[in-house]
Amino acid sequence: MATPPPESRSPEEERYEEARELLYEAYSELQRLEAELGGTAVPAPAVVVVGHQTDGKSALVEALMGFQFNHVGGGTKTRRPIALHLRFNPHCHSPNCRLLAGSGEGGAEDEAGDADRAMPLADIQAYIEAENKRLENDPSQFSAKEIIIRIEYKHCPNLTIIDTPGLILAAPGRKNRVLQSQACAVEALVRAKIQHKETIILCLEDCSDWSNATTRRVVMQVDPDLARTVLVSTKLDTKIPQFARASDVEVFLHPPTCVLDGSLLGDSPFFTSVPSGRVGSCHEAVFRSNEDFKKAISLRELDDVTSLEDKLGRSLTREEKNRIGVSNLRLFLEELLQNRYIESVPSIIPLLEKEHRAASRKLRKVTQEISDLNKAKLKEKARLFHDSFLTKLSLLLKGMVVAPPDKFGETLINERVNGGTFTGSENFQLPNKMMPNAGMRLYGGAQYHRAMAEFRLVVGSIKCPPITREEIVNACGVEDIHDGTNYSRTACVIAVAKAHDTFDPFLHQLSFRLLYILKRLSPISVFLLEKDDEHFSSHDVLVKRVQAAFDKFAESTEQSCRERCMEDLESTTRYVTWSLHNKNRAGLRHFLDSFVAPEQYPHTAHSAGLHEQSSVLNDNKQDRPKGDLKSIHSSDSNPSSVASETRLVDLLDSTLWNRRLAPSSERLVYALVHQIFHGIKEHFLVTTELKFNCFLLMPIVDKLAALLREDLESAFEDDLDGIFNVTQLRHSLGQTQRELEVELKRIKRLKEKFGEINKKLNSLQVRQ
């Protein structure tokens, strides 16, 4: 908006201009405060420029400013957003630039909050170029922290413009992964900058067909109706020659509602052209001064209007001319931003009040902490933290929903990655779909219970490993008093060896998994304390000591519990107690009955059974004493007695006297091994779960408090200053106190400024 000369202003205009200048200054300081506090202050209205790398974004920003300051060309020239606080000053014949506080990656501000410094334009350009080169070699490539520059110049509008990095259209394919990741990073940065409702979005499109929404695709993710978006078609001078017919130009100047609806800010797009060439004294420069650059912009606007009228075969209307050229766009943005400033004043004041109360509360808290830096208060604070920490720990085990699952919860997949999986010798792992709550993000007692349930399911589904004939024969060995075979001993030897090798890894895996889950309780408890204002972030040494003591207790408890379980496993796999190991006697009896079932039938069944048993007799069978044969034949008068005795002899022959492994002997060993293995598995599952609950979980409930209190009291006696790092703490709290005092003064000053502005604007409205 053009400002009338001072001598031609009326008193009303003087007051209005005074209020307007005060308004711009207040919003400029408000935006600085927001940038320095990381966006936590009240957001101020601003124009954010969004476009792709080849849309002429930086060139348009320079044309709006009235002078050149940045590098313009292909590729990524802007890697940090540049916030430009532009102020019209007719007395500044050259740009007066100041790099404001908060522009660096981190720095202390002074009490007045004016830790900015005047810099020549060349130094500003060098600073921006250095930042771009630094970020080009940085892994992140881009930074969301703004470079804040305040500029006064006779050609500047009263605008606050934020120039963002150019959007990237990366080609598909694996070889373009780096560029694709950069494109995602820039798009996320731009979306974050335009998400505030107070932001005016300047959306640049370099296209002659409005159906191609390259930049609008990103903008409409945040502003779907384009209600706060000003649409600009850049490089108009290159597009006019592309139109063959006047109707094409008409469609371009007046897009149909099916492509652009009427909710667009300003109702229709703007069309701009910026003359190419740089300002300077070298032979490559096209313009010798910014005055020449400004004149070239005005001439380009006139040429564009003339070219459009030639294409259309008619004169442009006043409304159409108001959409052509950088000067008309600048005037529109200046009026729009000024109205937004005025409209936002009443809502800014209560928001500043809220920020003032929050800063005052923080300052009182820090001041109280400084006054509490004595031994008695520090001990009391440590004991309070100790009790609160244990309370949160207990609540996490019992179950709570205060901690956000998306931050602290783990699905079963994540838990397996971080805490290990339950896998046996064959690397078998149950699918996630077989586990209840596998996809839920759990923590605390719920996660502990899920891990134990998975352990039961995995171990409970394990079957006895395969047994080879070689293993059976090797397990037979030689007795110390005879050379017969004892297949019950053979089965015991095989079963306990298989059981120990199978269940030992699971014991260690369960121990590691549960220890990991318990250790996760510590950071979640600290988070809950911070959320309830029960934790003082300045006492990091104390917090770390309590966490270290908890981790040490958990590790020692886990080791003790694991050793108890190992003793159980060793005893169960060292000596077979049939009352314990042979749980399913009915199944085994049914299996053994199948050996003799055929022989229970008379005549044909008996002869068939004898024939089967005779096929597995030893070659020395004919060498048996004849007396035995006679006794058998003498019993022919009693067929059932003969059959029973024959079965007994054949059974002894195949299990005791014979070392040729018959199918019946092999089946007998298999049955005994499976039965013993099953008994060991059932006992292992029950005792392991019971011991981990009793000797790992319960000590955290009933023994941890005393141990942590003992550790804390011991530390009080040895090194109280070391626990709290009082010297460093006093220094950091003092620095925080000074920063909060500065912040409080700045917010208070802003409150007063906006209050004064609101009064002046209200008085002007009443008089009007």
Side-chain angles (χ1 to χ4, degrees):
M1 179 181 294
T3 304
E7 60 272 8
S8 62
R9 296 176 186 167
S10 66
E12 293 293 332
E13 289 176 336
E14 286 285 350
R15 283 192 291 271
Y16 180 78
E17 283 301 319
E18 182 182 351
R20 193 177 73 156
E21 289 299 323
L22 188 61
L23 182 71
Y24 289 141
E25 185 64 32
Y27 271 110
S28 177
E29 186 173 350
L30 179 65
Q31 204 149 20
R32 283 177 57 192
L33 182 65
E34 180 193 5
E36 292 168 20
L37 300 180
T40 58
V42 183
V47 177
V48 178
V49 186
V50 181
H52 283 79
Q53 286 185 346
T54 57
D55 288 346
K57 181 172 55 62
S58 295
L60 178 61
V61 170
E62 291 181 339
L64 290 170
M65 294 169 56
F67 67 94
Q68 295 180 350
F69 82 105
N70 200 1
H71 285 272
V72 177
T76 302
K77 299 298 182 183
T78 306
R79 294 185 178 273
R80 280 180 64 184
I82 303 175
L84 302 165
H85 298 283
L86 308 177
R87 294 293 171 265
F88 169 75
N89 188 341
H91 304 294
C92 287
H93 297 284
S94 61
N96 182 8
C97 305
R98 301 184 75 87
L99 184 67
L100 300 187
S103 295
E105 289 299 321
E109 324 302 346
D110 66 1
E111 179 180 349
D114 294 323
D116 51 70
R117 58 189 185 279
M119 296 180 68
L121 184 58
D123 291 351
I124 295 281
Q125 292 171 333
Y127 177 80
I128 294 173
E129 184 179 358
E131 278 297 288
N132 288 334
K133 287 184 177 179
R134 180 185 67 81
L135 288 169
E136 189 175 355
N137 299 322
D138 191 83
S140 62
Q141 294 284 308
F142 299 91
S143 172
K145 190 172 180 62
E146 297 173 358
I147 299 174
I148 308 171
I149 304 171
R150 185 170 63 190
I151 302 171
E152 293 182 356
Y153 187 38
K154 64 179 180 179
H155 295 313
C156 273
N158 288 307
L159 282 176
T160 298
I161 300 177
I162 301 176
D163 186 15
T164 60
L167 298 169
I168 302 171
L169 283 174
R174 298 182 62 183
K175 63 181 180 180
N176 298 309
R177 283 180 179 175
V178 175
L179 201 59
Q180 291 166 6
S181 64
Q182 291 182 10
C184 293
V186 173
E187 190 169 318
L189 187 153
V190 169
R191 284 200 304 268
K193 286 297 175 185
I194 63 177
Q195 68 180 349
H196 293 300
K197 300 299 181 183
E198 297 80 7
T199 300
I200 300 169
I201 306 170
L202 196 63
C203 176
L204 275 54
E205 294 278 19
D206 180 16
C207 62
S208 55
D209 184 357
W210 289 112
S211 300
N212 297 322
T214 53
T215 306
R216 276 175 290 156
R217 177 189 62 81
V218 178
V219 171
M220 292 180 72
Q221 295 177 20
V222 180
D223 184 22
D225 300 327
L226 300 176
R228 52 188 180 90
T229 299
V230 179
L231 192 58
V232 180
S233 174
T234 58
K235 304 179 183 179
L236 177 62
D237 55 334
T238 64
K239 294 180 177 62
I240 296 175
Q242 300 176 15
F243 297 114
R245 296 175 298 180
S247 59
D248 296 335
V249 181
E250 293 284 1
V251 173
F252 181 60
L253 293 179
H254 305 283
T257 55
C258 61
V259 178
L260 290 175
D261 56 24
S263 62
L264 180 70
L265 189 60
D267 298 331
S268 64
F270 283 83
F271 305 89
T272 62
S273 298
V274 179
S276 60
R278 307 303 295 168
V279 175
S281 57
C282 62
H283 69 281
E284 296 178 349
V286 176
F287 311 108
R288 294 304 172 189
S289 66
N290 288 315
E291 294 285 348
D292 293 342
F293 177 59
K294 181 71 174 174
K295 291 177 182 178
I297 293 174
S298 300
L299 291 174
R300 174 53 62 193
E301 292 179 11
L302 296 175
D303 291 343
D304 288 343
V305 171
T306 303
S307 299
L308 286 171
E309 291 177 340
D310 291 342
K311 282 286 184 181
L312 290 170
R314 64 173 177 84
S315 298
L316 295 178
T317 64
R318 182 178 179 182
E319 290 76 14
E320 289 173 336
K321 287 182 179 180
N322 288 339
R323 300 289 168 177
I324 308 297
V326 174
S327 61
N328 288 314
L329 174 63
R330 184 169 75 168
L331 182 62
F332 175 80
L333 292 175
E334 193 173 3
E335 292 178 347
L336 181 63
L337 192 62
Q338 178 180 309
N339 292 333
R340 289 291 178 90
Y341 278 172
I342 295 173
E343 292 170 0
S344 300
V345 168
S347 62
I348 289 290
I349 296 174
L351 292 176
L352 285 172
E353 285 282 358
K354 180 181 177 182
E355 289 293 325
H356 188 273
R357 289 194 300 270
S360 300
R361 186 169 57 252
K362 291 178 183 177
L363 182 59
R364 286 195 300 271
K365 183 178 178 181
V366 171
T367 304
Q368 183 64 40
E369 286 191 52
I370 293 175
S371 64
D372 289 345
L373 291 180
N374 58 72
K375 288 187 177 182
K377 290 285 186 180
L378 289 176
K379 288 182 179 181
E380 180 183 349
K381 190 175 295 184
R383 295 187 182 106
L384 176 63
F385 173 76
H386 163 271
D387 295 340
S388 302
F389 178 82
L390 290 175
T391 301
K392 298 301 181 186
L393 205 68
S394 176
L395 288 175
L396 283 172
L397 288 174
K398 293 176 181 178
M400 63 187 311
V401 294
V402 179
D406 57 341
K407 183 177 181 180
F408 294 106
E410 282 188 334
T411 63
L412 186 59
I413 294 178
N414 295 333
E415 183 181 324
R416 286 173 173 176
V417 171
N418 299 320
T421 58
F422 296 127
T423 54
S425 56
E426 298 179 358
N427 293 324
F428 171 75
Q429 186 173 330
L430 282 178
N432 286 343
K433 61 182 181 181
M434 295 183 62
M435 275 298 303
N437 304 327
M440 294 187 179
R441 293 170 295 188
L442 305 181
Y443 55 77
Q447 188 177 13
Y448 179 94
H449 185 272
R450 183 179 64 185
M452 192 64 79
E454 184 188 5
F455 173 77
R456 286 197 305 269
L457 190 60
V458 172
V459 176
S461 63
I462 291 176
K463 297 181 180 179
C464 182
I467 306 166
T468 65
R469 294 170 61 86
E470 289 179 343
E471 287 178 327
I472 297 175
V473 174
N474 280 316
C476 290
V478 177
E479 295 286 345
D480 57 352
I481 198 169
H482 67 90
D483 63 349
T485 54
N486 184 353
Y487 284 116
S488 61
R489 181 189 181 281
T490 300
C492 292
V493 170
I494 296 174
V496 296
K498 296 284 185 183
H500 187 276
D501 292 343
T502 300
F503 300 129
D504 182 76
F506 285 106
L507 183 58
H508 292 277
Q509 292 164 11
L510 177 65
S511 182
F512 185 82
R513 173 82 75 88
L514 295 182
L515 177 62
Y516 164 74
I517 292 172
L518 292 178
K519 281 187 173 183
R520 293 186 66 240
L521 299 176
S522 178
I524 304 176
S525 300
V526 173
F527 167 81
L528 295 175
L529 291 174
E530 291 175 345
K531 189 173 182 180
D532 295 343
D533 285 335
E534 296 181 33
H535 165 254
F536 302 98
S537 58
S538 53
H539 301 303
D540 289 336
V541 179
L542 171 64
V543 175
K544 290 178 181 178
R545 184 181 183 95
V546 172
Q547 288 181 311
F550 170 75
D551 290 346
K552 183 179 179 181
F553 174 80
E555 290 171 0
S556 62
T557 307
E558 175 270 331
Q559 182 180 358
S560 173
C561 178
R562 177 163 36 88
E563 290 173 353
R564 290 173 182 264
C565 293
M566 285 298 300
E567 288 180 359
D568 271 356
L569 181 62
E570 291 290 341
S571 62
T572 312
T573 56
R574 183 174 182 180
Y575 189 82
V576 175
T577 304
W578 291 105
S579 60
L580 174 67
H581 292 72
N582 188 19
K583 295 289 185 182
N584 190 8
R585 298 188 179 187
L588 182 61
R589 185 179 296 110
H590 176 74
F591 175 81
L592 292 177
D593 287 346
S594 66
F595 280 88
V596 296
E599 288 84 349
Q600 293 178 357
Y601 298 98
H603 307 301
T604 57
H606 169 64
S607 61
L610 288 176
H611 176 72
E612 179 184 353
Q613 293 296 331
S614 64
S615 64
V616 297
L617 294 179
N618 199 318
D619 293 338
N620 295 330
K621 184 177 178 181
Q622 66 256 14
D623 297 333
R624 292 180 185 175
K626 293 182 179 181
D628 294 342
L629 295 176
K630 287 181 179 181
S631 63
I632 294 175
H633 289 300
S634 64
S635 303
D636 287 345
S637 59
N638 190 353
S640 61
S641 176
V642 172
S644 178
E645 291 179 2
T646 302
R647 288 198 304 272
L648 178 60
V649 172
D650 290 340
L651 185 62
L652 289 173
D653 182 68
S654 61
T655 60
L656 181 61
W657 302 329
N658 185 13
R659 283 189 175 265
R660 177 179 296 173
L661 192 60
S664 58
S665 303
E666 189 174 351
R667 290 171 59 197
L668 178 63
V669 173
Y670 284 168
L672 287 173
V673 169
H674 281 75
Q675 199 66 24
I676 298 169
F677 185 89
H678 176 76
I680 295 175
K681 179 178 72 173
E682 293 297 320
H683 181 73
F684 173 74
L685 271 175
V686 172
T687 57
T688 300
E689 182 175 2
L690 183 63
K691 278 187 166 52
F692 271 98
N693 288 336
C694 291
F695 301 111
L696 177 62
L697 186 62
M698 292 309 297
I700 293 179
V701 176
D702 52 29
K703 292 183 179 179
L704 177 63
L707 185 137
L708 289 184
R709 177 59 65 91
E710 181 182 349
D711 179 77
L712 207 57
E713 296 296 334
S714 172
F716 289 161
E717 300 297 329
D718 297 338
D719 186 15
L720 180 63
D721 184 74
I723 296 178
F724 291 95
N725 198 359
V726 178
T727 304
Q728 177 64 29
L729 181 59
R730 194 183 299 277
H731 174 75
S732 62
L733 286 175
Q735 184 177 355
T736 304
Q737 184 183 38
R738 290 189 295 272
E739 291 173 355
L740 287 171
E741 288 172 349
V742 171
E743 179 184 337
L744 203 60
K745 288 180 181 179
R746 295 179 66 182
I747 295 175
K748 183 179 179 182
R749 185 167 65 246
L750 278 173
K751 275 176 52 185
E752 294 171 352
K753 279 188 179 181
F754 276 97
E756 183 181 351
I757 293 167
N758 194 37
K759 289 180 182 178
K760 288 186 177 182
L761 292 175
N762 289 336
S763 64
L764 288 172
Q765 290 175 359
V766 169
R767 292 179 183 179
Q768 290 174 356

